Amino acid sequence: MSTSKSSKQNPRLKARHRTGSVWQTIFMISTLVGIVALLALLYNIGDSAFGYVVVEYQVLPESLERDGVALEDQTVDQLLLTFQENVSKGLYRRFEAEGAFENPTEVDLENLIVEWVLEARVVEGWGFWESLRNRAEIQAQAAKEFPNGQLEMRSWLNPNFLVSRQSETAMKAGVRTAILGSLWTIFIAITFAFPIGVGAAIYLEEYATDTFINRIIQTNINNLAGVPSIIYGMLGLAIFVRALEKITSGAAFGVLEDPTTANGRTVLSAGLTLGLLVLPLIIINSQEAIRAVPQSLRQASYGLGATKWQTVWYHVLPNAISGVLTGTILSISRAIGETAPLVVVGASTFIREDPSGPFSKFTTLPIQIYQWTARPQDVFRNIAAAAILVLLILLLSLNATAIFLRNRYARRL
Amino acid sequence: MSTLTTHKQDVSMVARNLNIYYGDFQAVKDVNLEIKKNKITAIIGPSGCGKSTVLRSFNRMNELVPTARTEGEIIFEGIDIYAPEIDAVEVRSRIGMVFQKPNPFPKSIYENVAWGAKINGFKGDMNELVENSLRRAALWDEVKDKLDQSGLSLSGGQQQRLCIARAIAVKPDLILMDEPASALDPVATLKIEDLMRELSKNYTIIIVTHNMQQAGRASDYTAFFNMNPDRAGYLVEYDETAKLFTNPKEKLTEEYITGRFG
């Protein structure tokens, strides 16, 4: 009896297990698709960011040795002399008049020499993987088609790229201004949105009663988190750039020499716009974290004669802080990659001055990448790939810092 | 202050015509009760009869439920704690509470005890207060070497005694206990009961329990609650525990304590 019953049940049990393993396979495939997509992205970026290039020089770098020191090892003074000896007096005086030789760095001078003396140009380039595979063919082709050119393995992501400013020439262009612009806007966005967001979350969770109006507010905050970012750009343009121009341009604080030139397209406007963009995210995530604090803890606190504020400050917030910080980390990731709202708010597409404060003009990494990929010349695609790597590294290091801070706070409890 | 009558020396708290509502639902109906000073009063009754609701109304904890509404008077040491000029925060610092599930703060044992006193403006020797409170809660010998460890590292019974120490440290006159042993094993339960007996020398204690043996063992007075068919809880009988358990006046009480319903 029992054996016949179990043999009757067995096929169904097998079918149940089979269903399980089918789903397991499907989930595994989903994961694999994700991994493949990520690898394809890295492959693509890596392919563009590194590889063989043929560089043609008007003057060969080897001919610019000074006292037996190669060009790239020369000191500032030596570089200055090299530059002076190899350009016309008129050009030298022009740069002198522009103040290019007041405290120049080695990088600045090397860039000047590359542009005006060597007149280096990338005339042909190959992707990284092709460069690895078809080395001999590339060498043969380069020797045949560009007898005056030099074939070199180039990493578009290099120290010079990080510290150089924007330039018309891809070989000299860098992301220094864009990195600083990104850091400034993120800093302002978080300084603005974090306290307001956490404050709003505390109010909504701990103080607000369940009324019709409060429910509408809650629903709207949830919806705001899904509003397309370009709309925040329009909002930022209307409010921060136009309506509050006196404040966002710094005219109200007297930082402008001529108030009539006030222009609201500043780091401050961009930071505040991104702040608005991440505010609903921070509020929602903080609310989740505050809601996750057990009710028994609040009761224990009230039972000892604590006021509402003491309960929130000493028990709810310390227990919610790691969740709040996780939400903030996600917001940083969102904000640092935003391009559209900043285009609307007025990020400069070509700017050489570093942002020096909240009232500076600015550009950010995504804007810079967007602008480079839109250029017709192939080489700009290479530096765009290098800039993407910089953006990814910046993002990862900001997140790592935030996670480190979160773990430190969480452990203290 | 206006509504008091003559205040009897041996009475800690008086509930008069107490009605408690959650929204439209009446949870407790017409309760009149006199809690004797330095005695242990147990509140027993079937599930859902409003025992915990009554207990929470004694230190205005039920106000934390947004829809809760309390009518009637609760007079504690001659003062109506629901009078408009009385602050609920002040009430809760004079009337301590221990909850069903041990809920120590995720802080050190020391801070668990010290925090309540600190926020209530305690100015004396904190180390001494912590030690005294832990001693009174019969926990000092077990934790004196690890005061800086998390309160959550203790066992369930120790955690509950830590919660009692925490409540004592605020120096209340009355301690409310909401089924304090229901989440504990029998040994830890007995320890809590011994502790209650010890504490009743200095404090008035009201304990809600669904365990009749516990009420019989550990209390001086017992209030038996039941609920109407409309689920509103009411006080059936209130007497000295010995009398109520051996010679109940109400038939319902007798049926409940002999286990015929509930």
Side-chain angles (χ1 to χ4, degrees), chain A residues 191-225:
Chain A
T191 323
F192 165 67
F194 183 73
I196 295 180
V198 177
I202 292 173
Y203 175 77
L204 287 171
E205 281 304 311
E206 298 289 327
Y207 291 90
T209 47
D210 189 20
T211 61
F212 183 64
I213 294 175
N214 283 334
R215 275 193 216 173
I216 289 181
I217 292 175
Q218 182 69 60
T219 313
N220 274 305
I221 290 173
N222 294 347
N223 285 338
L224 278 177

Side-chain angles (χ1 to χ4, degrees), chain A residues 353-406:
Chain A
E353 301 105 67
D354 293 340
S356 55
F359 307 119
S360 308
K361 289 191 287 176
F362 72 101
T363 189
T364 64
L365 274 168
I367 298 275
Q368 192 80 82
I369 292 164
Y370 168 69
Q371 191 242 339
W372 278 336
T373 50
R375 292 261 194 135
Q377 300 96 324
D378 269 344
V379 273
F380 281 100
R381 227 88 71 224
N382 296 122
I383 54 173
I388 287 170
L389 286 177
V390 174
L391 179 61
L392 288 178
I393 293 164
L394 186 66
L395 185 68
L396 289 179
S397 44
L398 281 181
N399 281 359
T401 316
I403 289 168
F404 171 76
L405 283 177
R406 182 188 69 187

Side-chain angles (χ1 to χ4, degrees), chain B residues 44-51 209-210 224-227 236 256 261-262:
Chain B
I44 59 170
S47 295
C49 70
K51 312 184 287 281
T209 177
H210 58 226
F224 170 56
F225 278 69
N226 192 24
M227 57 181 160
V236 178
Y256 184 73
F261 89 102

Side-chain angles (χ1 to χ4, degrees), chain B residues 147-209:
Chain B
L147 289 175
D148 56 341
Q149 280 183 25
S150 168
L152 295 173
S153 65
L154 299 175
S155 74
Q158 289 174 322
Q159 285 188 13
Q160 196 60 299
R161 276 178 281 148
L162 178 62
C163 291
I164 292 173
R166 180 174 73 183
I168 298 171
V170 183
K171 296 199 163 46
D173 302 307
L174 174 62
I175 301 174
L176 308 174
M177 296 187 176
D178 190 356
E179 304 191 25
S182 68
L184 305 180
D185 64 75
V187 177
T189 301
L190 278 182
K191 270 193 186 162
I192 298 278
E193 284 172 17
D194 290 346
L195 175 58
M196 278 162 43
R197 184 53 65 198
E198 189 64 31
L199 287 174
S200 69
K201 289 174 188 160
N202 298 298
Y203 304 92
T204 310
I205 294 173
I206 306 177
I207 173 175
V208 162
T209 177

Side-chain angles (χ1 to χ4, degrees), chain A residues 209 296-308 310-311 314-315 318-319 412-413, chain B residues 56 61 64 89 92-93 95-97 99 103-107 115-116 119-120 166-167 170:
Chain A
T209 47
S296 65
L297 214 58
R298 293 184 179 86
Q299 293 198 334
S301 171
Y302 288 130
L304 290 173
T307 61
K308 185 150 215 163
Q310 286 171 325
T311 304
Y314 290 103
H315 299 295
N319 281 286
R412 223 185 274 167
L413 291 172
Chain B
R56 279 155 183 271
M61 280 293 276
L64 299 174
V89 171
R92 291 182 204 130
S93 67
I95 304 176
M97 187 148 196
F99 297 86
N103 56 353
F105 299 128
K107 297 172 185 288
W115 190 78
I119 57 157
N120 280 298
R166 180 174 73 183
V170 183

